[in-house]
Amino acid sequence: MDFVGKRKLWYFLSILVIIPGIIAMATHRPPLNLGIDFTGGNLLQVKFEQPVETSQVREALKEFNLEQASIQTAGPNEFLLRTPVLTEEESTRMLDSLKEKFGNLDIKRNERVGAVIGAELTRKGLYALALATVLMVIYIGFRFEFLFGIAAVVALLHDVLVTVGLFALFRWEVNSAFVAAILTIIGYSINDTIVIFDRIRENLRLRKKESLEELVNKSIAQSLTRCINTVTTVVMALLALLILGGDTTKFFALTLLIGTVSGTYSSIFTASPLWIDLRNLTQGRRRTARAKVRRATSP
Amino acid sequence: MTGGSKKTFRAVAVFLAILALGVGVLPPLIRSMKLGLDLRGGVHIVVEAKDTADHQVTDEDMEALRRVMSSRVDELGLAEPLIQREGSRRLIIELAGINDPEEAVKVIGKTALLEFKTADGQVVVSGKDLRDAKAIIDQQTNEPMVTLKFNDEGTKKFAEVTAELVKQYSLNDPRRHIGIYLDNELLTNPVVREAIPNGEAVISGGFADFKEAADLAALLRGGALPVPVEIEERRAVGPTLGQDSLLKSRNAIVVGLIAIALFMLIVYRLPGLVADFSLIVYAVIVLAALWALKATLTLPGIAGLLLSVSMAVDANIIIYERLKEELRNGKTLRAAVEAGFTRAFATIFDSNTTTVLAAVVLYFLGSGTIRGFAVTLVLGIAASMFTAITLTRFLLRLLVNIPAFQDVRLYGVRREPSVEAEG
């Protein structure tokens, strides 16, 4: 399989997946469906003993001017209510009123995040992303070379964009676990990319007369079984979590699933071809510069 | 006993020992893991102290706040409540395994801000100036009352203001009163008969019985907050949801692990079996480390563990792919095993270090459950470096020396037995 020669096709495929997500982020305000972890607000998960309809719950919330709240079913007679920040008193009053109207209920979750904490989480999440990226470029630059670092980071941004883009497109809710998932994806994606880069580094040392394209193709082919087998085990673990895990871990598993699959794709089809392009670019420039010097100094 | 059967005996003994370790140690370890709120129900509360117009929150205030919260939590009678400071003005309170999280939030969230105010609304002293409060029965009137004792600063302020009031206003003047407010609710509004220089005051009248006075005294003693506070974050998970999550994630882990183990066995044959045995030791190490660190296992933590299992398996996959390659290149089995490990080490080290970098950043910038995830991931990777490299190599060396296990087809390579026999 020609991984490097068809690189324009692979780049195009990546862009095809990423563009809709970017459009979704550009056209929505806020760009992502942010959960209460970021925006601040209340989240209430209740299960009624008697049959209750969504419309009835919405009607009941009118009394508290919360008819705009997001109401989602989470099972039979079970609802997830998301509202702006309520005080303890307001939330107690709301619960009492629900009990009075629809009978006994089981409070499965009752969460409130203040706006201050939400803003902090956003800030810290972005810091974490930036810091982790910089540290990894430095590490790869130190262990390999600078261009490998750049190519790896582009591949990593690719995976983040794919994942975040899909979340934007489908309006899946983003919470604090999402930040952890994205950072894990970064770690995994880099991990995967490095395994191939490591092979390129090794083959470069033994390089005979083959072209750089051939060498990279060979390195990818040599790493391919490992990449596929590894991602298979990860996907198996995550699928188990996605299918069998509880509601709270589902989106976490989904995020990781998208990210790891994208991470494997980008290690094979984005990072290494890109490294060749970057290398040709810088070497080409150096060569033309050298040629210019020669021309200028020759009589 | 021939050399071969001796080696076989040793290998079987080692593998059986690992199996015994897994069967004997894993179940009690798993049972003794401390589970997070999301797995057994409970509340996570973040309380933030607020500045007022004339008082900035100090370190002492936060310590006093912590003591008050401790005594309130003790009222709930829980096994292992966690109260810790975060930053300069926040307290994190975690109460796991309670049946009624809502009630707990109410107890924690009581503001109970005690203030003594003059008629013009000026705060004379507040809860932080209070040293002690006691309920007694007045010997003369036979009425219950609460005696208060202020600390030095409170005594001084109280003395100044009472002296001033006595000097300025006549006994009948309403401005000569000092109102006692609890949570901005007027409890009693006694007149200041004379200046009070010794820092002792009495709240009398208005109590129906002695118990009411005693309750107020207890609230003031243990409950008067030094500064106003607000609950900035609260997450209450009911016990039913917690159990549900625990059961489901346990199933997911079992299924995920079995799938991974079977995959390794089918794809890599004998080395795959070795990898599965290494995974048992890996699980013992990670769980024992988490237990020793008294770490709490949360849902993201479990996800981190599962992911680190994949990372551990990845290290084995990298090594085994190398091993197969070396075998195909015509190396002898023993040489291929050694070369596989040596060559794979740099790859595994570099790829795992970058993942650890991400996890360390998560640890320092994340909070709560995200931290738990980072800890399990780093622990998992560290343990996998040991089991996937050192332990797997040891086990494989044991096996490749046994004649029965020298057929390369057992290592997933189609090739006639090599020069091994002669060499």
PDB file of all heavy atoms in Angstrom, chain A residues 37 106 108 110 112 114 120 139 143 184 198-199 202 226 229-230, chain B residues 90 231-232 234-236 238 240 268 303 307 314 322 325 347 350 373:
ATOM      1  N   ASP A  37     -20.703  22.031  33.758  1.00  0.00           N
ATOM      2  CA  ASP A  37     -19.338  22.118  34.265  1.00  0.00           C
ATOM      3  C   ASP A  37     -18.661  23.389  33.770  1.00  0.00           C
ATOM      4  O   ASP A  37     -17.808  23.959  34.442  1.00  0.00           O
ATOM      5  CB  ASP A  37     -18.513  20.918  33.783  1.00  0.00           C
ATOM      6  CG  ASP A  37     -18.935  19.637  34.485  1.00  0.00           C
ATOM      7  OD1 ASP A  37     -19.737  19.742  35.417  1.00  0.00           O
ATOM      8  OD2 ASP A  37     -18.466  18.563  34.093  1.00  0.00           O
ATOM      9  N   ASP A 106     -37.225   9.687  43.175  1.00  0.00           N
ATOM     10  CA  ASP A 106     -35.881   9.334  43.641  1.00  0.00           C
ATOM     11  C   ASP A 106     -34.905  10.310  42.992  1.00  0.00           C
ATOM     12  O   ASP A 106     -34.861  10.422  41.766  1.00  0.00           O
ATOM     13  CB  ASP A 106     -35.583   7.883  43.217  1.00  0.00           C
ATOM     14  CG  ASP A 106     -34.193   7.438  43.638  1.00  0.00           C
ATOM     15  OD1 ASP A 106     -33.598   8.126  44.499  1.00  0.00           O
ATOM     16  OD2 ASP A 106     -33.713   6.421  43.107  1.00  0.00           O
ATOM     17  N   LYS A 108     -31.634  11.004  41.693  1.00  0.00           N
ATOM     18  CA  LYS A 108     -30.452  10.216  41.343  1.00  0.00           C
ATOM     19  C   LYS A 108     -29.213  11.076  41.310  1.00  0.00           C
ATOM     20  O   LYS A 108     -28.117  10.647  41.647  1.00  0.00           O
ATOM     21  CB  LYS A 108     -30.673   9.553  39.991  1.00  0.00           C
ATOM     22  CG  LYS A 108     -31.772   8.507  40.057  1.00  0.00           C
ATOM     23  CD  LYS A 108     -31.569   7.489  38.978  1.00  0.00           C
ATOM     24  CE  LYS A 108     -32.249   6.199  39.367  1.00  0.00           C
ATOM     25  NZ  LYS A 108     -32.029   5.177  38.350  1.00  0.00           N
ATOM     26  N   ASN A 110     -28.095  15.397  41.760  1.00  0.00           N
ATOM     27  CA  ASN A 110     -28.495  16.788  41.925  1.00  0.00           C
ATOM     28  C   ASN A 110     -27.208  17.593  41.993  1.00  0.00           C
ATOM     29  O   ASN A 110     -26.540  17.641  43.009  1.00  0.00           O
ATOM     30  CB  ASN A 110     -29.320  16.942  43.198  1.00  0.00           C
ATOM     31  CG  ASN A 110     -29.895  18.336  43.332  1.00  0.00           C
ATOM     32  OD1 ASN A 110     -29.585  19.220  42.525  1.00  0.00           O
ATOM     33  ND2 ASN A 110     -30.722  18.544  44.330  1.00  0.00           N
ATOM     34  N   ARG A 112     -24.893  21.126  41.170  1.00  0.00           N
ATOM     35  CA  ARG A 112     -24.875  22.547  40.846  1.00  0.00           C
ATOM     36  C   ARG A 112     -23.433  22.984  40.721  1.00  0.00           C
ATOM     37  O   ARG A 112     -22.590  22.652  41.546  1.00  0.00           O
ATOM     38  CB  ARG A 112     -25.552  23.370  41.923  1.00  0.00           C
ATOM     39  CG  ARG A 112     -25.641  24.833  41.464  1.00  0.00           C
ATOM     40  CD  ARG A 112     -26.291  25.734  42.466  1.00  0.00           C
ATOM     41  NE  ARG A 112     -25.364  26.073  43.520  1.00  0.00           N
ATOM     42  CZ  ARG A 112     -25.684  26.079  44.791  1.00  0.00           C
ATOM     43  NH1 ARG A 112     -26.871  25.704  45.176  1.00  0.00           N
ATOM     44  NH2 ARG A 112     -24.794  26.422  45.682  1.00  0.00           N
ATOM     45  N   GLY A 114     -21.264  26.533  40.224  1.00  0.00           N
ATOM     46  CA  GLY A 114     -21.325  27.993  40.158  1.00  0.00           C
ATOM     47  C   GLY A 114     -20.630  28.479  38.898  1.00  0.00           C
ATOM     48  O   GLY A 114     -19.781  27.805  38.334  1.00  0.00           O
ATOM     49  N   GLU A 120     -13.466  28.800  35.525  1.00  0.00           N
ATOM     50  CA  GLU A 120     -12.134  28.296  35.885  1.00  0.00           C
ATOM     51  C   GLU A 120     -11.791  27.033  35.124  1.00  0.00           C
ATOM     52  O   GLU A 120     -10.674  26.854  34.663  1.00  0.00           O
ATOM     53  CB  GLU A 120     -12.113  27.965  37.375  1.00  0.00           C
ATOM     54  CG  GLU A 120     -11.550  29.069  38.224  1.00  0.00           C
ATOM     55  CD  GLU A 120     -11.585  28.648  39.672  1.00  0.00           C
ATOM     56  OE1 GLU A 120     -11.354  27.465  39.974  1.00  0.00           O
ATOM     57  OE2 GLU A 120     -11.871  29.516  40.486  1.00  0.00           O
ATOM     58  N   TYR A 139       9.736  17.498  23.997  1.00  0.00           N
ATOM     59  CA  TYR A 139      10.262  16.152  24.207  1.00  0.00           C
ATOM     60  C   TYR A 139      10.635  15.484  22.886  1.00  0.00           C
ATOM     61  O   TYR A 139      11.708  14.899  22.739  1.00  0.00           O
ATOM     62  CB  TYR A 139       9.236  15.284  24.966  1.00  0.00           C
ATOM     63  CG  TYR A 139       9.752  13.894  25.230  1.00  0.00           C
ATOM     64  CD1 TYR A 139      10.665  13.658  26.249  1.00  0.00           C
ATOM     65  CD2 TYR A 139       9.366  12.829  24.436  1.00  0.00           C
ATOM     66  CE1 TYR A 139      11.167  12.399  26.486  1.00  0.00           C
ATOM     67  CE2 TYR A 139       9.854  11.559  24.664  1.00  0.00           C
ATOM     68  CZ  TYR A 139      10.753  11.348  25.688  1.00  0.00           C
ATOM     69  OH  TYR A 139      11.251  10.103  25.921  1.00  0.00           O
ATOM     70  N   ARG A 143      14.208  14.141  21.570  1.00  0.00           N
ATOM     71  CA  ARG A 143      14.475  12.736  21.286  1.00  0.00           C
ATOM     72  C   ARG A 143      14.622  12.443  19.792  1.00  0.00           C
ATOM     73  O   ARG A 143      15.312  11.517  19.413  1.00  0.00           O
ATOM     74  CB  ARG A 143      13.356  11.849  21.847  1.00  0.00           C
ATOM     75  CG  ARG A 143      13.307  11.803  23.348  1.00  0.00           C
ATOM     76  CD  ARG A 143      14.368  10.923  23.933  1.00  0.00           C
ATOM     77  NE  ARG A 143      14.241   9.532  23.496  1.00  0.00           N
ATOM     78  CZ  ARG A 143      15.134   8.605  23.789  1.00  0.00           C
ATOM     79  NH1 ARG A 143      16.201   8.912  24.478  1.00  0.00           N
ATOM     80  NH2 ARG A 143      14.953   7.368  23.370  1.00  0.00           N
ATOM     81  N   THR A 184      -6.285  12.633  26.945  1.00  0.00           N
ATOM     82  CA  THR A 184      -5.899  11.238  26.748  1.00  0.00           C
ATOM     83  C   THR A 184      -5.688  10.945  25.266  1.00  0.00           C
ATOM     84  O   THR A 184      -4.751  10.247  24.881  1.00  0.00           O
ATOM     85  CB  THR A 184      -6.996  10.307  27.284  1.00  0.00           C
ATOM     86  OG1 THR A 184      -7.372  10.778  28.561  1.00  0.00           O
ATOM     87  CG2 THR A 184      -6.499   8.891  27.387  1.00  0.00           C
ATOM     88  N   ASP A 198       9.668   6.380  15.284  1.00  0.00           N
ATOM     89  CA  ASP A 198      10.786   5.616  15.816  1.00  0.00           C
ATOM     90  C   ASP A 198      11.317   4.663  14.751  1.00  0.00           C
ATOM     91  O   ASP A 198      12.519   4.481  14.590  1.00  0.00           O
ATOM     92  CB  ASP A 198      10.273   4.841  17.036  1.00  0.00           C
ATOM     93  CG  ASP A 198      11.338   3.977  17.646  1.00  0.00           C
ATOM     94  OD1 ASP A 198      12.240   4.542  18.284  1.00  0.00           O
ATOM     95  OD2 ASP A 198      11.279   2.749  17.467  1.00  0.00           O
ATOM     96  N   ARG A 199      10.399   4.078  14.012  1.00  0.00           N
ATOM     97  CA  ARG A 199      10.780   3.157  12.935  1.00  0.00           C
ATOM     98  C   ARG A 199      11.499   3.923  11.819  1.00  0.00           C
ATOM     99  O   ARG A 199      12.486   3.444  11.262  1.00  0.00           O
ATOM    100  CB  ARG A 199       9.505   2.498  12.404  1.00  0.00           C
ATOM    101  CG  ARG A 199       9.754   1.169  11.751  1.00  0.00           C
ATOM    102  CD  ARG A 199      10.363   0.244  12.749  1.00  0.00           C
ATOM    103  NE  ARG A 199      10.933  -0.914  12.090  1.00  0.00           N
ATOM    104  CZ  ARG A 199      10.590  -2.173  12.363  1.00  0.00           C
ATOM    105  NH1 ARG A 199       9.720  -2.431  13.306  1.00  0.00           N
ATOM    106  NH2 ARG A 199      11.139  -3.165  11.739  1.00  0.00           N
ATOM    107  N   GLU A 202      14.954   4.677  12.903  1.00  0.00           N
ATOM    108  CA  GLU A 202      15.808   3.497  12.838  1.00  0.00           C
ATOM    109  C   GLU A 202      16.222   3.189  11.391  1.00  0.00           C
ATOM    110  O   GLU A 202      17.396   2.940  11.099  1.00  0.00           O
ATOM    111  CB  GLU A 202      15.038   2.316  13.426  1.00  0.00           C
ATOM    112  CG  GLU A 202      15.904   1.121  13.701  1.00  0.00           C
ATOM    113  CD  GLU A 202      15.046  -0.075  14.106  1.00  0.00           C
ATOM    114  OE1 GLU A 202      14.066   0.122  14.837  1.00  0.00           O
ATOM    115  OE2 GLU A 202      15.369  -1.184  13.670  1.00  0.00           O
ATOM    116  N   ARG A 226       1.249  -3.610  14.168  1.00  0.00           N
ATOM    117  CA  ARG A 226       1.226  -3.171  15.565  1.00  0.00           C
ATOM    118  C   ARG A 226       0.140  -2.113  15.766  1.00  0.00           C
ATOM    119  O   ARG A 226      -0.624  -2.185  16.729  1.00  0.00           O
ATOM    120  CB  ARG A 226       2.602  -2.623  15.954  1.00  0.00           C
ATOM    121  CG  ARG A 226       2.653  -1.983  17.310  1.00  0.00           C
ATOM    122  CD  ARG A 226       2.460  -0.500  17.196  1.00  0.00           C
ATOM    123  NE  ARG A 226       1.969   0.090  18.432  1.00  0.00           N
ATOM    124  CZ  ARG A 226       1.460   1.306  18.485  1.00  0.00           C
ATOM    125  NH1 ARG A 226       1.339   2.028  17.408  1.00  0.00           N
ATOM    126  NH2 ARG A 226       1.041   1.787  19.629  1.00  0.00           N
ATOM    127  N   ASN A 229      -3.315  -3.764  15.583  1.00  0.00           N
ATOM    128  CA  ASN A 229      -3.582  -4.613  16.744  1.00  0.00           C
ATOM    129  C   ASN A 229      -3.799  -3.798  18.005  1.00  0.00           C
ATOM    130  O   ASN A 229      -4.676  -4.102  18.812  1.00  0.00           O
ATOM    131  CB  ASN A 229      -2.425  -5.596  16.958  1.00  0.00           C
ATOM    132  CG  ASN A 229      -2.462  -6.718  15.935  1.00  0.00           C
ATOM    133  OD1 ASN A 229      -3.385  -6.810  15.146  1.00  0.00           O
ATOM    134  ND2 ASN A 229      -1.442  -7.558  15.939  1.00  0.00           N
ATOM    135  N   THR A 230      -2.979  -2.770  18.190  1.00  0.00           N
ATOM    136  CA  THR A 230      -3.126  -1.962  19.399  1.00  0.00           C
ATOM    137  C   THR A 230      -4.458  -1.241  19.415  1.00  0.00           C
ATOM    138  O   THR A 230      -5.176  -1.264  20.410  1.00  0.00           O
ATOM    139  CB  THR A 230      -1.978  -0.956  19.514  1.00  0.00           C
ATOM    140  OG1 THR A 230      -0.766  -1.662  19.649  1.00  0.00           O
ATOM    141  CG2 THR A 230      -2.168  -0.055  20.718  1.00  0.00           C
TER     142      THR A 230
ATOM    143  N   ARG B  90     -11.393  28.212  49.498  1.00  0.00           N
ATOM    144  CA  ARG B  90     -12.365  27.159  49.234  1.00  0.00           C
ATOM    145  C   ARG B  90     -12.134  25.933  50.098  1.00  0.00           C
ATOM    146  O   ARG B  90     -11.011  25.617  50.431  1.00  0.00           O
ATOM    147  CB  ARG B  90     -12.275  26.725  47.780  1.00  0.00           C
ATOM    148  CG  ARG B  90     -13.013  27.627  46.866  1.00  0.00           C
ATOM    149  CD  ARG B  90     -13.181  27.017  45.519  1.00  0.00           C
ATOM    150  NE  ARG B  90     -13.549  28.082  44.623  1.00  0.00           N
ATOM    151  CZ  ARG B  90     -13.132  28.184  43.372  1.00  0.00           C
ATOM    152  NH1 ARG B  90     -12.347  27.263  42.875  1.00  0.00           N
ATOM    153  NH2 ARG B  90     -13.513  29.191  42.630  1.00  0.00           N
ATOM    154  N   ILE B 231     -22.169  27.897  48.690  1.00  0.00           N
ATOM    155  CA  ILE B 231     -21.844  26.626  48.053  1.00  0.00           C
ATOM    156  C   ILE B 231     -21.666  26.898  46.565  1.00  0.00           C
ATOM    157  O   ILE B 231     -22.606  27.252  45.871  1.00  0.00           O
ATOM    158  CB  ILE B 231     -22.947  25.579  48.287  1.00  0.00           C
ATOM    159  CG1 ILE B 231     -23.029  25.258  49.781  1.00  0.00           C
ATOM    160  CG2 ILE B 231     -22.656  24.309  47.491  1.00  0.00           C
ATOM    161  CD1 ILE B 231     -24.035  24.200  50.126  1.00  0.00           C
ATOM    162  N   GLU B 232     -20.423  26.787  46.089  1.00  0.00           N
ATOM    163  CA  GLU B 232     -20.144  27.100  44.695  1.00  0.00           C
ATOM    164  C   GLU B 232     -20.422  25.908  43.786  1.00  0.00           C
ATOM    165  O   GLU B 232     -20.675  26.068  42.606  1.00  0.00           O
ATOM    166  CB  GLU B 232     -18.672  27.517  44.526  1.00  0.00           C
ATOM    167  CG  GLU B 232     -18.398  28.968  44.867  1.00  0.00           C
ATOM    168  CD  GLU B 232     -19.073  29.929  43.907  1.00  0.00           C
ATOM    169  OE1 GLU B 232     -19.310  29.556  42.742  1.00  0.00           O
ATOM    170  OE2 GLU B 232     -19.367  31.059  44.333  1.00  0.00           O
ATOM    171  N   ARG B 234     -21.953  21.715  43.951  1.00  0.00           N
ATOM    172  CA  ARG B 234     -22.417  20.570  44.721  1.00  0.00           C
ATOM    173  C   ARG B 234     -22.808  19.490  43.729  1.00  0.00           C
ATOM    174  O   ARG B 234     -23.427  19.746  42.703  1.00  0.00           O
ATOM    175  CB  ARG B 234     -23.580  20.975  45.612  1.00  0.00           C
ATOM    176  CG  ARG B 234     -24.770  21.519  44.867  1.00  0.00           C
ATOM    177  CD  ARG B 234     -25.850  20.547  44.788  1.00  0.00           C
ATOM    178  NE  ARG B 234     -26.906  20.757  45.764  1.00  0.00           N
ATOM    179  CZ  ARG B 234     -27.740  19.813  46.085  1.00  0.00           C
ATOM    180  NH1 ARG B 234     -27.634  18.634  45.516  1.00  0.00           N
ATOM    181  NH2 ARG B 234     -28.696  20.034  46.936  1.00  0.00           N
ATOM    182  N   ARG B 235     -22.369  18.289  44.016  1.00  0.00           N
ATOM    183  CA  ARG B 235     -22.744  17.169  43.163  1.00  0.00           C
ATOM    184  C   ARG B 235     -23.217  16.058  44.070  1.00  0.00           C
ATOM    185  O   ARG B 235     -22.439  15.491  44.810  1.00  0.00           O
ATOM    186  CB  ARG B 235     -21.548  16.697  42.350  1.00  0.00           C
ATOM    187  CG  ARG B 235     -21.101  17.712  41.331  1.00  0.00           C
ATOM    188  CD  ARG B 235     -19.807  17.302  40.697  1.00  0.00           C
ATOM    189  NE  ARG B 235     -19.270  18.387  39.914  1.00  0.00           N
ATOM    190  CZ  ARG B 235     -19.583  18.618  38.644  1.00  0.00           C
ATOM    191  NH1 ARG B 235     -20.413  17.823  38.021  1.00  0.00           N
ATOM    192  NH2 ARG B 235     -19.070  19.629  38.002  1.00  0.00           N
ATOM    193  N   ALA B 236     -24.487  15.804  44.012  1.00  0.00           N
ATOM    194  CA  ALA B 236     -25.038  14.735  44.839  1.00  0.00           C
ATOM    195  C   ALA B 236     -25.449  13.588  43.945  1.00  0.00           C
ATOM    196  O   ALA B 236     -26.168  13.778  42.984  1.00  0.00           O
ATOM    197  CB  ALA B 236     -26.234  15.261  45.628  1.00  0.00           C
ATOM    198  N   GLY B 238     -27.253   9.975  44.070  1.00  0.00           N
ATOM    199  CA  GLY B 238     -28.066   9.082  44.902  1.00  0.00           C
ATOM    200  C   GLY B 238     -27.493   7.680  44.908  1.00  0.00           C
ATOM    201  O   GLY B 238     -26.803   7.297  43.970  1.00  0.00           O
ATOM    202  N   THR B 240     -28.806   4.816  44.381  1.00  0.00           N
ATOM    203  CA  THR B 240     -29.232   3.903  43.306  1.00  0.00           C
ATOM    204  C   THR B 240     -28.382   4.114  42.052  1.00  0.00           C
ATOM    205  O   THR B 240     -27.931   3.160  41.432  1.00  0.00           O
ATOM    206  CB  THR B 240     -30.711   4.107  42.943  1.00  0.00           C
ATOM    207  OG1 THR B 240     -30.949   5.492  42.798  1.00  0.00           O
ATOM    208  CG2 THR B 240     -31.601   3.503  43.981  1.00  0.00           C
ATOM    209  N   TYR B 268      -1.209 -13.773  19.049  1.00  0.00           N
ATOM    210  CA  TYR B 268       0.211 -13.987  19.355  1.00  0.00           C
ATOM    211  C   TYR B 268       0.538 -15.352  19.943  1.00  0.00           C
ATOM    212  O   TYR B 268       1.680 -15.589  20.343  1.00  0.00           O
ATOM    213  CB  TYR B 268       0.737 -12.866  20.252  1.00  0.00           C
ATOM    214  CG  TYR B 268       0.749 -11.543  19.549  1.00  0.00           C
ATOM    215  CD1 TYR B 268      -0.195 -10.565  19.817  1.00  0.00           C
ATOM    216  CD2 TYR B 268       1.695 -11.298  18.561  1.00  0.00           C
ATOM    217  CE1 TYR B 268      -0.193  -9.374  19.135  1.00  0.00           C
ATOM    218  CE2 TYR B 268       1.698 -10.104  17.868  1.00  0.00           C
ATOM    219  CZ  TYR B 268       0.751  -9.149  18.163  1.00  0.00           C
ATOM    220  OH  TYR B 268       0.756  -7.968  17.463  1.00  0.00           O
ATOM    221  N   ALA B 303     -11.938   4.253  33.838  1.00  0.00           N
ATOM    222  CA  ALA B 303     -11.654   4.414  32.411  1.00  0.00           C
ATOM    223  C   ALA B 303     -10.142   4.536  32.193  1.00  0.00           C
ATOM    224  O   ALA B 303      -9.589   3.951  31.260  1.00  0.00           O
ATOM    225  CB  ALA B 303     -12.374   5.629  31.862  1.00  0.00           C
ATOM    226  N   LEU B 307      -7.771   2.038  30.032  1.00  0.00           N
ATOM    227  CA  LEU B 307      -6.914   2.562  28.982  1.00  0.00           C
ATOM    228  C   LEU B 307      -5.463   2.165  29.220  1.00  0.00           C
ATOM    229  O   LEU B 307      -4.722   1.833  28.286  1.00  0.00           O
ATOM    230  CB  LEU B 307      -7.030   4.084  28.950  1.00  0.00           C
ATOM    231  CG  LEU B 307      -6.650   4.680  27.614  1.00  0.00           C
ATOM    232  CD1 LEU B 307      -7.690   4.360  26.572  1.00  0.00           C
ATOM    233  CD2 LEU B 307      -6.462   6.167  27.746  1.00  0.00           C
ATOM    234  N   ASP B 314      -0.237  -2.729  24.498  1.00  0.00           N
ATOM    235  CA  ASP B 314       0.474  -2.117  23.366  1.00  0.00           C
ATOM    236  C   ASP B 314       1.970  -2.384  23.448  1.00  0.00           C
ATOM    237  O   ASP B 314       2.611  -2.733  22.460  1.00  0.00           O
ATOM    238  CB  ASP B 314       0.198  -0.614  23.341  1.00  0.00           C
ATOM    239  CG  ASP B 314       0.999   0.082  22.259  1.00  0.00           C
ATOM    240  OD1 ASP B 314       0.965  -0.389  21.107  1.00  0.00           O
ATOM    241  OD2 ASP B 314       1.674   1.086  22.566  1.00  0.00           O
ATOM    242  N   ARG B 322       8.063  -7.148  16.829  1.00  0.00           N
ATOM    243  CA  ARG B 322       9.512  -7.181  16.615  1.00  0.00           C
ATOM    244  C   ARG B 322      10.038  -8.612  16.606  1.00  0.00           C
ATOM    245  O   ARG B 322      10.840  -9.004  15.757  1.00  0.00           O
ATOM    246  CB  ARG B 322      10.214  -6.418  17.749  1.00  0.00           C
ATOM    247  CG  ARG B 322      10.447  -4.992  17.446  1.00  0.00           C
ATOM    248  CD  ARG B 322      11.431  -4.889  16.318  1.00  0.00           C
ATOM    249  NE  ARG B 322      11.437  -3.514  15.891  1.00  0.00           N
ATOM    250  CZ  ARG B 322      12.446  -2.884  15.335  1.00  0.00           C
ATOM    251  NH1 ARG B 322      13.562  -3.531  15.095  1.00  0.00           N
ATOM    252  NH2 ARG B 322      12.364  -1.638  15.001  1.00  0.00           N
ATOM    253  N   GLU B 325       9.206 -10.339  13.460  1.00  0.00           N
ATOM    254  CA  GLU B 325      10.039  -9.814  12.389  1.00  0.00           C
ATOM    255  C   GLU B 325      11.433 -10.428  12.419  1.00  0.00           C
ATOM    256  O   GLU B 325      11.972 -10.848  11.397  1.00  0.00           O
ATOM    257  CB  GLU B 325      10.142  -8.313  12.573  1.00  0.00           C
ATOM    258  CG  GLU B 325      10.040  -7.532  11.305  1.00  0.00           C
ATOM    259  CD  GLU B 325      10.094  -6.067  11.650  1.00  0.00           C
ATOM    260  OE1 GLU B 325       9.200  -5.599  12.362  1.00  0.00           O
ATOM    261  OE2 GLU B 325      11.056  -5.406  11.242  1.00  0.00           O
ATOM    262  N   THR B 347      11.265   2.435  21.632  1.00  0.00           N
ATOM    263  CA  THR B 347       9.939   2.806  21.130  1.00  0.00           C
ATOM    264  C   THR B 347       8.948   2.950  22.278  1.00  0.00           C
ATOM    265  O   THR B 347       8.233   3.943  22.392  1.00  0.00           O
ATOM    266  CB  THR B 347       9.412   1.701  20.181  1.00  0.00           C
ATOM    267  OG1 THR B 347      10.467   1.277  19.337  1.00  0.00           O
ATOM    268  CG2 THR B 347       8.251   2.198  19.373  1.00  0.00           C
ATOM    269  N   ASP B 350       9.780   6.029  24.580  1.00  0.00           N
ATOM    270  CA  ASP B 350       9.421   7.331  24.011  1.00  0.00           C
ATOM    271  C   ASP B 350       7.916   7.521  23.917  1.00  0.00           C
ATOM    272  O   ASP B 350       7.389   8.589  24.239  1.00  0.00           O
ATOM    273  CB  ASP B 350      10.034   7.485  22.612  1.00  0.00           C
ATOM    274  CG  ASP B 350      11.495   7.888  22.691  1.00  0.00           C
ATOM    275  OD1 ASP B 350      11.883   8.457  23.731  1.00  0.00           O
ATOM    276  OD2 ASP B 350      12.239   7.632  21.738  1.00  0.00           O
ATOM    277  N   PHE B 373      -8.207  10.224  37.421  1.00  0.00           N
ATOM    278  CA  PHE B 373      -7.954   9.640  36.108  1.00  0.00           C
ATOM    279  C   PHE B 373      -6.461   9.721  35.777  1.00  0.00           C
ATOM    280  O   PHE B 373      -5.851   8.741  35.345  1.00  0.00           O
ATOM    281  CB  PHE B 373      -8.785  10.400  35.072  1.00  0.00           C
ATOM    282  CG  PHE B 373      -8.488  10.030  33.659  1.00  0.00           C
ATOM    283  CD1 PHE B 373      -8.950   8.844  33.128  1.00  0.00           C
ATOM    284  CD2 PHE B 373      -7.752  10.876  32.852  1.00  0.00           C
ATOM    285  CE1 PHE B 373      -8.686   8.505  31.819  1.00  0.00           C
ATOM    286  CE2 PHE B 373      -7.480  10.546  31.545  1.00  0.00           C
ATOM    287  CZ  PHE B 373      -7.950   9.357  31.026  1.00  0.00           C
TER     288      PHE B 373
END
